[in-house]
């Protein structure tokens, strides 16, 4: 295996003019990373379950040239408020809308990964007047695979009960197609979050969606996807641990006018694993520019049948 050069969250951000802060809104304290002039269109960047704003540390620089980027910690995650009740999708939606109100943004571009894609899709369905365009990156919410849910629950709770280096590392490695992408710096960034005194409680609350009955009442139905009217791109990967590319293709095909982009050799964090490709695909879609890798979801199927 070729040894990778050392990287860190700080080196990812060293050439980015950004700020970190907290905003009180909707009864929550939301921690954010912000980059880009606020006169530019707002872009909300939403991480996955047990994740945090640093999930987008490699994307802020390129995106801040065009957008006012806000990568936030969901409630029950990172350094945001940690409510002492099970967290369902409506709680995350309330947080995001309150955050938008607090920063004076009526309408925004959205990019969500996994849980973030689940929340972004529901906001696009229920509040289209607040969404310009949406990217659904290996999104959750359409599948309830007991094996995947159990694996995610076990890895997350093991790390919550024992936030040791190896437990946190194992949780991060689940995200990557190539485990060597999990650097010491990334482990330490997440370990500090997992070592907070209230993290075990918070993790129990944010794992509520891994309970089958709770998950079922929060899932995104085919009709929900058909009701999304804003421009949408589904981004999937060939090595995603949560589901196959066919699921991404199915989701995109149900959204009217939906587009599909597939990234090779990536797992559940393509924005981090192959930053250059992700940034190109992502920006081209958000800016309304054509990209040969962004296709009609039926294109591959039709080509195979021809």
């Amino acid at each position: 295996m070729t040894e990778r050069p050392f990287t860190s969250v700080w080196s990812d951000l060293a050439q980015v003019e950004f700020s970190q802060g907290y905003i009180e809104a909707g009864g929550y304290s939301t921690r954010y990373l912000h980059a880009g002039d606020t006169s530019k269109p707002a872009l909300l960047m939403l991480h996955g379950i047990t994740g945090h704003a640093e999930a987008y540390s490699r994307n802020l620089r390129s995106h801040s040239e065009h957008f006012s980027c806000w990568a936030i910690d969901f409630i029950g995650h990172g350094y945001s408020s940690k409510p002492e009740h099970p967290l369902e999708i409506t709680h995350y939606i309330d947080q995001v809308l309150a955050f938008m109100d607090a920063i004076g943004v009526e309408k925004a571009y959205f990019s969500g990964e996994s849980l973030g894609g689940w929340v972004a899709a529901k906001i696009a369905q229920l509040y289209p007047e607040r969404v310009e365009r949406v990217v659904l990156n290996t999104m959750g919410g359409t599948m309830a695979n007991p094996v995947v849910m159990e694996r995610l629950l076990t890895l997350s709770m093991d790390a919550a009960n024992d936030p040791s280096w190896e437990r946190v590392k194992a949780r991060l490695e689940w995200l990557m197609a190539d485990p060597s992408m999990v650097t010491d710096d990334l482990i330490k960034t997440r370990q500090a979050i997992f070592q907070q005194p209230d993290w075990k409680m918070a993790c129990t609350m944010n794992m509520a969606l891994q309970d089958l009955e709770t998950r079922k009442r929060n899932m995104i139905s085919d009709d929900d996807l058909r009701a999304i009217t804003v421009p949408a791109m589904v981004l999937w990967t060939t090595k995603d641990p949560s589901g196959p590319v066919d699921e991404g293709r199915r989701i995109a095909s149900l959204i009217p006018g939906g587009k599909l982009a597939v990234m090779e050799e990536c797992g559940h964090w393509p924005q981090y694993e192959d930053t250059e490709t992700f940034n190109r695909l992502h920006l081209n879609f958000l800016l309304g520019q054509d990209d040969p890798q962004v296709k009609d979801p039926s294109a591959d199927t039709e080509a195979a049948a021809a």
Side-chain angles (χ1 to χ4, degrees), residues 128-166:
E129 72 279 6
R130 307 209 66 172
V131 181
E132 292 281 0
R133 285 176 172 248
V134 62
V135 176
L136 307 173
N137 171 10
T138 58
M139 65 177 283
T142 62
M143 298 176 285
N145 184 325
V147 175
V148 174
M149 292 164 62
E150 176 60 28
R151 180 65 174 154
L152 195 53
L153 177 64
T154 299
L155 284 170
S156 299
M157 290 311 304
D158 282 353
N161 291 321
D162 171 23
S164 63
W165 193 264
E166 289 306 316

Side-chain angles (χ1 to χ4, degrees), residues 4-296:
R4 292 184 184 279
F6 180 82
T7 61
S8 74
V9 173
W10 178 245
S11 62
D12 292 336
L13 293 171
Q15 298 182 60
V16 183
E17 186 173 347
F18 77 103
S19 62
Q20 175 185 228
Y22 294 81
I23 284 182
E24 303 289 333
Y28 304 125
S29 173
T30 295
R31 178 229 182 190
Y32 66 82
L33 300 179
H34 175 257
D37 194 298
T38 53
S39 65
K40 295 174 181 174
L43 169 63
L44 273 290
M45 307 167 100
L46 309 177
H47 62 74
I49 194 83
T50 74
H52 37 88
E54 284 84 357
Y56 293 100
S57 60
R58 294 185 171 181
N59 315 106
L60 289 175
R61 183 181 180 187
S62 61
H63 285 72
S64 64
E65 295 175 11
H66 306 277
F67 296 97
S68 172
C69 305
W70 299 88
I72 68 169
D73 288 348
F74 276 134
I75 52 172
H77 294 74
Y79 297 101
S80 288
S81 293
K82 296 178 179 60
E84 296 185 25
H85 60 76
L87 292 171
E88 301 192 35
I89 295 302
T90 185
H91 299 118
Y92 300 118
I93 292 174
D94 289 346
Q95 178 201 9
V96 172
L97 296 182
F99 183 84
M100 290 174 66
D101 291 341
I103 61 174
V105 168
E106 180 61 30
K107 197 169 187 178
Y109 292 76
F110 281 80
S111 182
E113 175 257 329
S114 194
L115 170 65
W118 191 342
V119 175
K122 289 299 291 184
I123 292 175
Q125 176 207 348
L126 299 174
Y127 303 95
E129 72 279 6
R130 307 209 66 172
V131 181
E132 292 281 0
R133 285 176 172 248
V134 62
V135 176
L136 307 173
N137 171 10
T138 58
M139 65 177 283
T142 62
M143 298 176 285
N145 184 325
V147 175
V148 174
M149 292 164 62
E150 176 60 28
R151 180 65 174 154
L152 195 53
L153 177 64
T154 299
L155 284 170
S156 299
M157 290 311 304
D158 282 353
N161 291 321
D162 171 23
S164 63
W165 193 264
E166 289 306 316
R167 295 281 193 193
V168 176
K169 181 171 182 279
R171 177 62 181 85
L172 282 163
E173 286 178 343
W174 184 85
L175 298 167
M176 313 291 184
D178 178 357
S180 71
M181 292 291 292
V182 178
T183 64
D184 287 356
D185 185 75
L186 191 57
I187 296 169
K188 185 57 190 173
T189 298
R190 184 165 288 204
Q191 187 183 39
I193 291 170
F194 286 11
Q195 288 176 328
Q196 294 175 98
D198 54 359
W199 179 255
K200 185 175 177 181
M201 178 279 297
C203 192
T204 302
M205 298 300 109
N206 67 42
M207 280 289 120
L209 292 170
Q210 306 311 313
D211 170 74
L212 185 57
E213 292 306 311
T214 305
R215 191 179 188 90
K216 282 181 177 177
R217 65 172 174 263
N218 284 275
M219 286 181 69
I220 298 175
S221 69
D222 289 358
D223 284 341
D224 291 340
L225 293 169
R226 293 187 186 101
I228 294 176
T229 56
V230 304
M233 180 176 80
V234 177
L235 191 151
W236 217 268
T237 67
T238 58
K239 295 188 176 181
D240 180 66
S242 69
V245 171
D246 281 350
E247 179 63 9
R249 183 176 293 109
R250 190 187 73 83
I251 294 168
S253 70
L254 289 168
I255 299 172
K259 302 297 182 186
L260 175 69
V262 177
M263 289 178 60
E264 303 286 340
E265 302 301 320
C266 291
H268 211 50
W269 259 31
Q271 77 280 3
Y272 182 90
E273 297 175 87
D274 184 353
T275 303
E276 182 178 356
T277 302
F278 178 90
N279 285 345
R280 190 199 77 232
L281 291 169
H282 202 250
L283 277 169
N284 279 345
F285 174 75
L286 293 179
L287 296 172
Q289 298 172 354
D290 291 335
D291 190 296
Q293 205 170 330
V294 177
K295 299 178 179 178
D296 184 299

Side-chain angles (χ1 to χ4, degrees), residues 298-306:
S298 63
D300 290 346
T301 303
E302 291 173 353

